[in-house]
Amino acid sequence: MAAANPWDPATAPNAAGLLLGHFITSELVTEEMLNISKKSTSCFVNFSRLQQITDIQAEIYQKNLEIELLSLEKDAADVVHPSFLAQKCHSLQSMNNHLEAVLKEKRSLRQRLLKPMCQGNLPVEAVYHRYMVHLLELAVTFIERLEDHLETIRNIPHLDADLKKMSTALAKMDILVTETEELAENVLKWREQQKEVSSYIPKILAEKNSLHKHDVIVPPLPLTSKVNVQTINAK
């Protein structure tokens, strides 16, 4: 005989069943909630999820490896890719052909180089005339600036000393700039003081004039009084 379910109010009329029945009648608990609590998830569901996660991780790892291989192939495309290799082989073949031609004509080239080229005419095809004009302009410009370039090359060993001199000169210039700024500030202050003094001068002159106007002028004594004083003293 199967054991009675204590959570089922129909099959187990005990205290728990009666309490659940009371909750259901009072609508505090529904039958759907009780059915959900009865359901039990199988452990195989978790195993299947774990297997899915493992498969996804393996796929991600495989994709990362493919991305790394593609990036390596992109970085080494100029060495491994057939089209780049074909271009390099073509350039090497043309250079090899040129060197072979130079080696075949080595004796004639040496004789031509030993001959002086002064007042000689070099045959140039008409297609390359405009390029020769541009080349001659560049040569003239280079010859004009050759002395400056040589002077620069001669001064290369003295660059460290020149840089030290420049650093000391810049330090002195900074000091002079600060002194000039201080002097300019002092001049501005002196100008402001002169303006204040010049503004006070008219006031001072006006006050002096007003004081001169209010002074009492004592009239001089007549000459007769002096004569009388002298006669009295004689007596």
Side-chain angles (χ1 to χ4, degrees):
M1 184 176 176
N5 188 0
W7 299 104
D8 192 356
T11 60
N14 52 13
L18 294 173
L19 182 62
L20 288 173
H22 178 69
F23 285 159
I24 290 169
T25 54
S26 61
E27 295 183 354
L28 293 173
V29 178
T30 60
E31 292 183 359
E32 294 178 355
M33 295 170 67
L34 293 174
N35 293 328
I36 290 169
S37 65
K38 288 179 184 178
K39 291 180 181 179
S40 61
T41 59
S42 177
C43 62
F44 295 104
V45 176
N46 294 327
F47 283 121
S48 63
R49 288 179 181 174
L50 182 62
Q51 185 65 33
Q52 289 177 359
I53 291 168
T54 306
D55 295 338
I56 290 169
Q57 288 178 351
E59 188 177 357
I60 291 169
Y61 181 72
Q62 185 67 28
K63 295 296 182 184
N64 289 328
L65 286 176
E66 291 177 359
I67 290 168
E68 288 180 0
L69 289 173
L70 289 173
S71 63
L72 288 172
E73 185 178 356
K74 182 181 177 182
D75 294 335
D78 56 344
V79 180
V80 180
H81 203 274
S83 62
F84 292 103
L85 290 175
Q87 291 178 3
K88 288 187 176 181
C89 288
H90 180 68
S91 60
L92 287 172
Q93 188 65 34
S94 62
M95 189 182 294
N96 190 17
N97 293 331
H98 179 69
L99 290 174
E100 285 179 357
V102 169
L103 290 173
K104 286 179 182 179
E105 302 292 333
K106 181 172 67 174
R107 184 175 295 176
S108 61
L109 288 171
R110 185 178 293 174
Q111 290 176 0
R112 286 180 61 184
L113 290 172
L114 290 173
K115 290 180 181 179
M117 299 298 294
C118 295
Q119 296 180 356
N121 296 322
L122 295 175
V124 180
E125 297 181 5
V127 182
Y128 302 108
H129 282 181
R130 57 177 181 176
Y131 300 111
M132 288 301 298
V133 172
H134 183 61
L135 183 62
L136 288 172
E137 290 178 357
L138 292 176
V140 171
T141 306
F142 177 75
I143 291 168
E144 287 177 352
R145 298 179 181 176
L146 181 61
E147 190 63 32
D148 296 334
H149 295 323
L150 293 174
E151 187 66 26
T152 304
I153 292 168
R154 292 192 197 99
N155 291 329
I156 286 173
H158 306 289
L159 282 176
D160 294 333
D162 294 337
L163 289 173
K164 288 180 181 178
K165 290 179 181 178
M166 287 177 66
S167 61
T168 53
L170 287 172
K172 290 180 180 178
M173 284 180 66
D174 291 334
I175 294 168
L176 290 173
V177 166
T178 53
E179 290 179 354
T180 307
E181 289 177 353
E182 291 177 357
L183 183 61
E185 290 178 358
N186 293 329
V187 169
L188 291 173
K189 289 179 182 179
W190 180 78
R191 283 184 179 177
E192 291 177 357
Q193 291 175 359
Q194 292 296 320
K195 286 180 181 178
E196 291 177 357
V197 170
S198 61
S199 63
Y200 283 125
I201 286 171
K203 294 180 181 179
I204 294 168
L205 291 174
E207 290 177 357
K208 284 185 178 181
N209 292 328
S210 62
L211 288 173
H212 282 302
K213 287 179 182 178
H214 292 291
D215 285 342
V216 178
I217 299 170
V218 179
L221 294 172
L223 294 173
T224 55
S225 62
K226 290 182 179 180
V227 175
N228 292 328
V229 170
Q230 288 177 359
T231 54
I232 291 166
N233 290 328
K235 289 179 181 180

